[in-house]
Amino acid sequence: MNKIISVFILFIGMNAFAQNIPSVMKTEFPAAALQDSVVDLDGNSTTIGKVFSNYKGKIVLLDLWATWCGDCIKNMPALKSLHEKNPDVTFVYLSMDKNEEAWKNGIEKYQIEGQHFYLGNNWKGNFGTGIDLNWIPRYLVLDQNGKIADYYSVKADDPKVQETIDRLRNK
């Protein structure tokens, strides 16, 4: 009987904390989401919309991550491999770390190459709610016009990520 109860509790716990796939796969960011502030490595504040506008004409892989996130760190080797296979893609990292020091130390510790911005632990901000953020890591692929081409991937080695990049590249 105890085993049955344990299995039942495990099942309930796994479902309670499981990542929920959004029911709608968005192709554009809500305007309010693009107004959320981020900080670059030099301490300059800007908006997410301005960050994205800097990469018009390029394919962008957006990674929402944090140093405290075990799954984020576990995905780093696959993310680096993806980066090596796609040198023409701009990798933009939005950190959800609790403080800027942890974010900067994590970039150095894990030797993460790309464009880095600190969003902070702002899950319920306009950006987080605008993309239905409920778990990290979260990867989005943006097309050359800044539209969302892959809205929901949680693993850097998800074949859908590379397929989306290849499709955009061949447009």
Side-chain angles (χ1 to χ4, degrees):
M1 184 66 167
N2 284 342
K3 287 184 181 181
I4 293 172
I5 291 172
S6 295
V7 169
F8 180 72
I9 290 172
L10 179 64
F11 178 76
I12 296 293
M14 286 174 56
N15 285 321
F17 295 104
Q19 192 169 159
N20 295 321
I21 297 172
S23 57
V24 175
M25 298 295 166
K26 297 175 182 172
T27 59
E28 293 188 35
F29 294 100
L34 297 174
Q35 296 306 310
D36 267 5
S37 293
V38 292
V39 175
D40 68 17
L41 286 169
D42 295 324
N44 301 312
S45 184
T46 188
T47 65
I48 292 174
K50 287 180 183 172
V51 168
F52 292 165
S53 70
N54 290 333
Y55 307 112
K56 286 278 186 184
K58 297 187 175 274
I59 300 168
V60 173
L61 180 106
L62 178 63
D63 177 9
L64 283 93
W65 75 292
T67 57
W68 52 259
C69 167
D71 288 340
C72 298
I73 304 310
K74 199 182 324 178
N75 268 280
M76 286 297 169
L79 193 58
K80 287 181 182 183
S81 176
L82 185 66
H83 199 167
E84 289 170 8
K85 290 177 191 168
N86 299 283
D88 58 320
V89 173
T90 300
F91 282 65
V92 175
Y93 298 88
L94 290 182
S95 170
M96 309 263 328
D97 270 299
K98 293 180 170 103
N99 63 63
E100 289 184 42
E101 183 179 353
W103 163 57
K104 289 178 179 179
N105 289 340
I107 293 167
E108 187 175 325
K109 179 179 181 178
Y110 300 108
Q111 300 175 349
I112 306 168
E113 294 183 22
Q115 307 303 309
H116 295 278
F117 299 91
Y118 178 69
L119 180 61
N121 197 17
N122 193 10
W123 293 76
K124 299 298 179 195
N126 289 327
F127 188 77
T129 56
I131 64 164
D132 307 305
L133 185 64
N134 62 2
W135 196 272
I136 57 174
R138 170 83 175 272
Y139 306 97
L140 293 91
V141 179
L142 310 184
D143 71 12
Q144 295 89 331
N145 297 311
K147 303 262 189 213
I148 304 167
D150 177 14
Y151 184 64
Y152 189 82
S153 291
V154 295
K155 292 188 176 196
D157 59 359
D158 181 340
K160 182 174 59 160
V161 173
Q162 185 63 59
E163 290 166 7
T164 302
I165 290 169
D166 291 342
R167 181 175 45 81
L168 293 173
R169 188 181 285 130
N170 295 322
K171 263 185 153 179

